[in-house]
């Protein structure tokens, strides 16, 4: 397999630098230059600055980590060209990790970024509309409630992870031959009886496109 190109990570890093630099600059300016907008304006400014900084920093980290993951994947494929189950570290160890083991982490990131985006509406627009008795405040409040929804979703994902832990399926035979019997064990924290059993879905696809 060809080595991954560096063009993508470099382009993404260059694209993200203005977000990171701009967010940090405005955050620095908020605490060094006297502000006349009051506490609500300060909260909104900090939220916007952090949002830009986190987005920029996150894109840069994703660019470097993604490139490293692609290089590692290419090395595994070159070392085991005819054994695609060895291209994943968990399958190579005779087990398959659950797809939602780290879902709560992504849910908290989404909730954090979403709330940072919504804070300016909540702390700037809502007070202004309330002072004018503008009924459009209900629309803004409804829009801001999305932050509550994202936070509740993240809390539920965390509770689910704490309840079941990092689930995975252990295989007895590997590789698994299509059409033949497969045996293994599902490992997770589950203190109740599953009356109707547990659904297990395994995905290991090797797709080759030619022409």
């Amino acid at each position: 397999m060809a080595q991954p190109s560096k063009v993508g990570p470099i382009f993404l890093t260059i694209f993200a630098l203005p977000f990171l630099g701009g967010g940090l600059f405005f955050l620095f300016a908020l605490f060094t230059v006297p502000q006349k907008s009051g506490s609500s304006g300060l909260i909104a400014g900090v939220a916007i600055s952090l949002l830009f900084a986190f987005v920029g920093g996150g894109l840069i980290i994703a660019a470097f980590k993604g490139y490293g993951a692609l290089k590692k994947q290419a090395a595994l494929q070159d070392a085991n060209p005819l054994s695609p189950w060895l291209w994943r570290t968990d399958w190579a160890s005779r087990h398959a990790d659950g797809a939602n083991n780290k879902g709560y982490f992504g849910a908290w990131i989404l909730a954090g970024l979403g709330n940072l985006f919504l804070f300016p509406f909540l702390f700037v627009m809502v007070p202004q509309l309330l002072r004018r008795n503008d009924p459009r405040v209900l629309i803004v409040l409804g829009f801001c409630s999305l932050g509550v929804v994202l936070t509740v979703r993240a809390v539920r994902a965390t509770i689910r992870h704490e309840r079941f832990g990092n689930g995975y399926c252990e295989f007895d035979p590997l590789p698994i031959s299509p059409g033949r019997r497969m045996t293994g064990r599902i490992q997770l924290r589950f203190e109740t009886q599953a009356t109707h059993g547990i659904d297990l879905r395994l995905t290991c696809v090797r797709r080759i496109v030619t022409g």
Side-chain angles (χ1 to χ4, degrees), residues 131-207:
R131 284 194 294 268
R132 297 197 300 263
N133 293 323
D134 193 328
R136 289 179 297 180
V137 69
L138 298 177
I139 299 176
V140 180
L141 286 174
F143 180 61
C144 292
S145 66
L146 179 62
V148 178
V149 174
L150 293 175
T151 303
V152 171
R153 178 176 175 269
V155 171
R156 291 188 61 184
T158 303
I159 294 174
R160 184 167 57 247
H161 180 265
E162 290 298 321
R163 179 183 179 187
F164 298 112
N166 291 328
Y168 61 93
C169 178
E170 291 181 334
F171 305 123
D172 288 334
L174 197 69
I176 302 170
S177 300
R180 294 190 177 182
R181 180 181 177 87
M182 188 206 79
T183 58
R185 291 158 297 280
I186 298 176
Q187 303 288 350
L188 76 162
R189 290 199 302 264
F190 198 68
E191 299 177 356
T192 58
Q193 294 293 328
T195 307
H196 301 289
I198 298 175
D199 294 330
L200 174 66
R201 179 182 179 184
L202 298 176
T203 303
C204 184
V205 179
R206 183 187 183 191
R207 180 177 299 170

